[in-house]
PDB file of all heavy atoms in Angstrom:
ATOM      1  N   ARG A 199      24.642 -26.634  -5.393  1.00 87.00           N
ATOM      2  CA  ARG A 199      23.489 -26.727  -6.312  1.00 87.00           C
ATOM      3  C   ARG A 199      23.826 -27.497  -7.585  1.00 87.00           C
ATOM      4  O   ARG A 199      22.917 -27.995  -8.251  1.00 87.00           O
ATOM      5  CB  ARG A 199      23.009 -25.329  -6.690  1.00 87.00           C
ATOM      6  CG  ARG A 199      22.253 -24.629  -5.577  1.00 87.00           C
ATOM      7  CD  ARG A 199      21.880 -23.222  -6.004  1.00 87.00           C
ATOM      8  NE  ARG A 199      21.137 -22.526  -4.971  1.00 87.00           N
ATOM      9  CZ  ARG A 199      21.349 -21.256  -4.635  1.00 87.00           C
ATOM     10  NH1 ARG A 199      22.265 -20.535  -5.250  1.00 87.00           N
ATOM     11  NH2 ARG A 199      20.633 -20.688  -3.682  1.00 87.00           N
ATOM     12  N   ILE A 200      25.105 -27.564  -7.948  1.00 89.00           N
ATOM     13  CA  ILE A 200      25.465 -28.254  -9.202  1.00 89.00           C
ATOM     14  C   ILE A 200      24.874 -29.657  -9.213  1.00 89.00           C
ATOM     15  O   ILE A 200      24.326 -30.105 -10.214  1.00 89.00           O
ATOM     16  CB  ILE A 200      27.001 -28.332  -9.382  1.00 89.00           C
ATOM     17  CG1 ILE A 200      27.556 -26.938  -9.592  1.00 89.00           C
ATOM     18  CG2 ILE A 200      27.360 -29.236 -10.582  1.00 89.00           C
ATOM     19  CD1 ILE A 200      29.046 -26.882  -9.880  1.00 89.00           C
ATOM     20  N   GLU A 201      24.957 -30.346  -8.089  1.00 85.00           N
ATOM     21  CA  GLU A 201      24.439 -31.715  -8.039  1.00 85.00           C
ATOM     22  C   GLU A 201      22.939 -31.747  -7.792  1.00 85.00           C
ATOM     23  O   GLU A 201      22.234 -32.562  -8.362  1.00 85.00           O
ATOM     24  CB  GLU A 201      25.153 -32.545  -6.952  1.00 85.00           C
ATOM     25  CG  GLU A 201      26.631 -32.821  -7.239  1.00 85.00           C
ATOM     26  CD  GLU A 201      26.878 -33.560  -8.563  1.00 85.00           C
ATOM     27  OE1 GLU A 201      25.963 -34.244  -9.056  1.00 85.00           O
ATOM     28  OE2 GLU A 201      28.005 -33.422  -9.104  1.00 85.00           O
ATOM     29  N   VAL A 202      22.444 -30.863  -6.915  1.00 83.00           N
ATOM     30  CA  VAL A 202      21.024 -30.990  -6.518  1.00 83.00           C
ATOM     31  C   VAL A 202      20.062 -30.189  -7.388  1.00 83.00           C
ATOM     32  O   VAL A 202      18.925 -30.620  -7.611  1.00 83.00           O
ATOM     33  CB  VAL A 202      20.795 -30.610  -5.028  1.00 83.00           C
ATOM     34  CG1 VAL A 202      21.308 -31.693  -4.122  1.00 83.00           C
ATOM     35  CG2 VAL A 202      21.390 -29.269  -4.673  1.00 83.00           C
ATOM     36  N   ASN A 203      20.465 -29.024  -7.865  1.00 84.00           N
ATOM     37  CA  ASN A 203      19.539 -28.189  -8.633  1.00 84.00           C
ATOM     38  C   ASN A 203      20.296 -27.148  -9.466  1.00 84.00           C
ATOM     39  O   ASN A 203      20.271 -25.962  -9.158  1.00 84.00           O
ATOM     40  CB  ASN A 203      18.565 -27.501  -7.665  1.00 84.00           C
ATOM     41  CG  ASN A 203      17.372 -26.895  -8.371  1.00 84.00           C
ATOM     42  OD1 ASN A 203      17.310 -26.902  -9.596  1.00 84.00           O
ATOM     43  ND2 ASN A 203      16.432 -26.376  -7.606  1.00 84.00           N
ATOM     44  N   PRO A 204      20.956 -27.597 -10.534  1.00 89.00           N
ATOM     45  CA  PRO A 204      21.792 -26.663 -11.297  1.00 89.00           C
ATOM     46  C   PRO A 204      21.000 -25.504 -11.929  1.00 89.00           C
ATOM     47  O   PRO A 204      21.537 -24.428 -12.127  1.00 89.00           O
ATOM     48  CB  PRO A 204      22.428 -27.544 -12.381  1.00 89.00           C
ATOM     49  CG  PRO A 204      21.639 -28.786 -12.414  1.00 89.00           C
ATOM     50  CD  PRO A 204      21.006 -28.962 -11.079  1.00 89.00           C
ATOM     51  N   LEU A 205      19.689 -25.734 -12.175  1.00 87.00           N
ATOM     52  CA  LEU A 205      18.868 -24.662 -12.755  1.00 87.00           C
ATOM     53  C   LEU A 205      18.862 -23.422 -11.869  1.00 87.00           C
ATOM     54  O   LEU A 205      18.833 -22.295 -12.341  1.00 87.00           O
ATOM     55  CB  LEU A 205      17.424 -25.162 -12.886  1.00 87.00           C
ATOM     56  CG  LEU A 205      16.858 -25.249 -14.294  1.00 87.00           C
ATOM     57  CD1 LEU A 205      17.499 -26.423 -15.018  1.00 87.00           C
ATOM     58  CD2 LEU A 205      15.357 -25.432 -14.247  1.00 87.00           C
ATOM     59  N   ARG A 206      18.871 -23.683 -10.580  1.00 84.00           N
ATOM     60  CA  ARG A 206      18.764 -22.596  -9.601  1.00 84.00           C
ATOM     61  C   ARG A 206      19.984 -21.665  -9.656  1.00 84.00           C
ATOM     62  O   ARG A 206      19.892 -20.502  -9.267  1.00 84.00           O
ATOM     63  CB  ARG A 206      18.610 -23.232  -8.214  1.00 84.00           C
ATOM     64  CG  ARG A 206      18.064 -22.338  -7.174  1.00 84.00           C
ATOM     65  CD  ARG A 206      16.565 -22.133  -7.378  1.00 84.00           C
ATOM     66  NE  ARG A 206      16.012 -21.340  -6.275  1.00 84.00           N
ATOM     67  CZ  ARG A 206      15.898 -20.024  -6.301  1.00 84.00           C
ATOM     68  NH1 ARG A 206      16.277 -19.347  -7.335  1.00 84.00           N
ATOM     69  NH2 ARG A 206      15.396 -19.387  -5.264  1.00 84.00           N
ATOM     70  N   ILE A 207      21.104 -22.197 -10.157  1.00 89.00           N
ATOM     71  CA  ILE A 207      22.314 -21.363 -10.247  1.00 89.00           C
ATOM     72  C   ILE A 207      22.060 -20.187 -11.194  1.00 89.00           C
ATOM     73  O   ILE A 207      22.589 -19.101 -11.012  1.00 89.00           O
ATOM     74  CB  ILE A 207      23.524 -22.201 -10.747  1.00 89.00           C
ATOM     75  CG1 ILE A 207      23.761 -23.367  -9.785  1.00 89.00           C
ATOM     76  CG2 ILE A 207      24.779 -21.341 -10.881  1.00 89.00           C
ATOM     77  CD1 ILE A 207      24.815 -24.361 -10.269  1.00 89.00           C
ATOM     78  N   LEU A 208      21.184 -20.428 -12.173  1.00 87.00           N
ATOM     79  CA  LEU A 208      20.931 -19.388 -13.172  1.00 87.00           C
ATOM     80  C   LEU A 208      20.373 -18.111 -12.562  1.00 87.00           C
ATOM     81  O   LEU A 208      20.587 -17.027 -13.074  1.00 87.00           O
ATOM     82  CB  LEU A 208      19.958 -19.906 -14.245  1.00 87.00           C
ATOM     83  CG  LEU A 208      20.471 -21.051 -15.118  1.00 87.00           C
ATOM     84  CD1 LEU A 208      19.358 -21.540 -16.038  1.00 87.00           C
ATOM     85  CD2 LEU A 208      21.659 -20.589 -15.948  1.00 87.00           C
ATOM     86  N   ASP A 209      19.600 -18.249 -11.467  1.00 80.00           N
ATOM     87  CA  ASP A 209      19.078 -16.999 -10.891  1.00 80.00           C
ATOM     88  C   ASP A 209      19.691 -16.665  -9.530  1.00 80.00           C
ATOM     89  O   ASP A 209      19.116 -15.932  -8.737  1.00 80.00           O
ATOM     90  CB  ASP A 209      17.534 -16.960 -10.884  1.00 80.00           C
ATOM     91  CG  ASP A 209      16.922 -17.893  -9.863  1.00 80.00           C
ATOM     92  OD1 ASP A 209      17.679 -18.647  -9.223  1.00 80.00           O
ATOM     93  OD2 ASP A 209      15.688 -17.854  -9.705  1.00 80.00           O
ATOM     94  N   CYS A 210      20.927 -17.186  -9.302  1.00 85.00           N
ATOM     95  CA  CYS A 210      21.650 -16.800  -8.085  1.00 85.00           C
ATOM     96  C   CYS A 210      21.993 -15.304  -8.190  1.00 85.00           C
ATOM     97  O   CYS A 210      22.312 -14.804  -9.264  1.00 85.00           O
ATOM     98  CB  CYS A 210      22.929 -17.619  -7.945  1.00 85.00           C
ATOM     99  SG  CYS A 210      23.906 -17.113  -6.502  1.00 85.00           S
ATOM    100  N   LYS A 211      21.868 -14.613  -7.055  1.00 81.00           N
ATOM    101  CA  LYS A 211      22.072 -13.158  -7.096  1.00 81.00           C
ATOM    102  C   LYS A 211      23.553 -12.760  -6.985  1.00 81.00           C
ATOM    103  O   LYS A 211      23.911 -11.610  -7.188  1.00 81.00           O
ATOM    104  CB  LYS A 211      21.282 -12.474  -5.956  1.00 81.00           C
ATOM    105  CG  LYS A 211      19.784 -12.707  -6.017  1.00 81.00           C
ATOM    106  CD  LYS A 211      19.117 -11.846  -7.093  1.00 81.00           C
ATOM    107  CE  LYS A 211      17.627 -12.061  -7.179  1.00 81.00           C
ATOM    108  NZ  LYS A 211      17.216 -13.132  -8.077  1.00 81.00           N
ATOM    109  N   GLU A 212      24.427 -13.725  -6.652  1.00 86.00           N
ATOM    110  CA  GLU A 212      25.862 -13.413  -6.510  1.00 86.00           C
ATOM    111  C   GLU A 212      26.463 -13.042  -7.867  1.00 86.00           C
ATOM    112  O   GLU A 212      26.240 -13.753  -8.858  1.00 86.00           O
ATOM    113  CB  GLU A 212      26.616 -14.645  -5.965  1.00 86.00           C
ATOM    114  CG  GLU A 212      26.250 -15.015  -4.559  1.00 86.00           C
ATOM    115  CD  GLU A 212      27.176 -14.387  -3.528  1.00 86.00           C
ATOM    116  OE1 GLU A 212      28.295 -13.943  -3.893  1.00 86.00           O
ATOM    117  OE2 GLU A 212      26.755 -14.332  -2.355  1.00 86.00           O
ATOM    118  N   GLU A 213      27.260 -11.973  -7.858  1.00 88.00           N
ATOM    119  CA  GLU A 213      27.804 -11.465  -9.128  1.00 88.00           C
ATOM    120  C   GLU A 213      28.649 -12.505  -9.862  1.00 88.00           C
ATOM    121  O   GLU A 213      28.522 -12.702 -11.069  1.00 88.00           O
ATOM    122  CB  GLU A 213      28.642 -10.226  -8.840  1.00 88.00           C
ATOM    123  CG  GLU A 213      28.722  -9.289 -10.033  1.00 88.00           C
ATOM    124  CD  GLU A 213      29.430  -7.994  -9.661  1.00 88.00           C
ATOM    125  OE1 GLU A 213      29.066  -7.389  -8.617  1.00 88.00           O
ATOM    126  OE2 GLU A 213      30.364  -7.640 -10.382  1.00 88.00           O
ATOM    127  N   ARG A 214      29.503 -13.210  -9.085  1.00 90.00           N
ATOM    128  CA  ARG A 214      30.398 -14.169  -9.764  1.00 90.00           C
ATOM    129  C   ARG A 214      29.625 -15.317 -10.410  1.00 90.00           C
ATOM    130  O   ARG A 214      29.983 -15.804 -11.476  1.00 90.00           O
ATOM    131  CB  ARG A 214      31.469 -14.698  -8.807  1.00 90.00           C
ATOM    132  CG  ARG A 214      30.908 -15.242  -7.515  1.00 90.00           C
ATOM    133  CD  ARG A 214      32.041 -15.529  -6.566  1.00 90.00           C
ATOM    134  NE  ARG A 214      31.543 -15.690  -5.217  1.00 90.00           N
ATOM    135  CZ  ARG A 214      32.114 -16.442  -4.315  1.00 90.00           C
ATOM    136  NH1 ARG A 214      33.202 -17.102  -4.609  1.00 90.00           N
ATOM    137  NH2 ARG A 214      31.614 -16.533  -3.115  1.00 90.00           N
TER     138      ARG A 214
END
Side-chain angles (χ1 to χ4, degrees):
R199 286 177 179 137
I200 293 184
E201 293 302 337
V202 286
N203 194 355
L205 243 73
R206 199 75 175 92
I207 301 173
L208 295 175
D209 72 355
C210 177
K211 300 284 180 271
E212 293 267 342
E213 206 174 311
R214 52 189 164 151

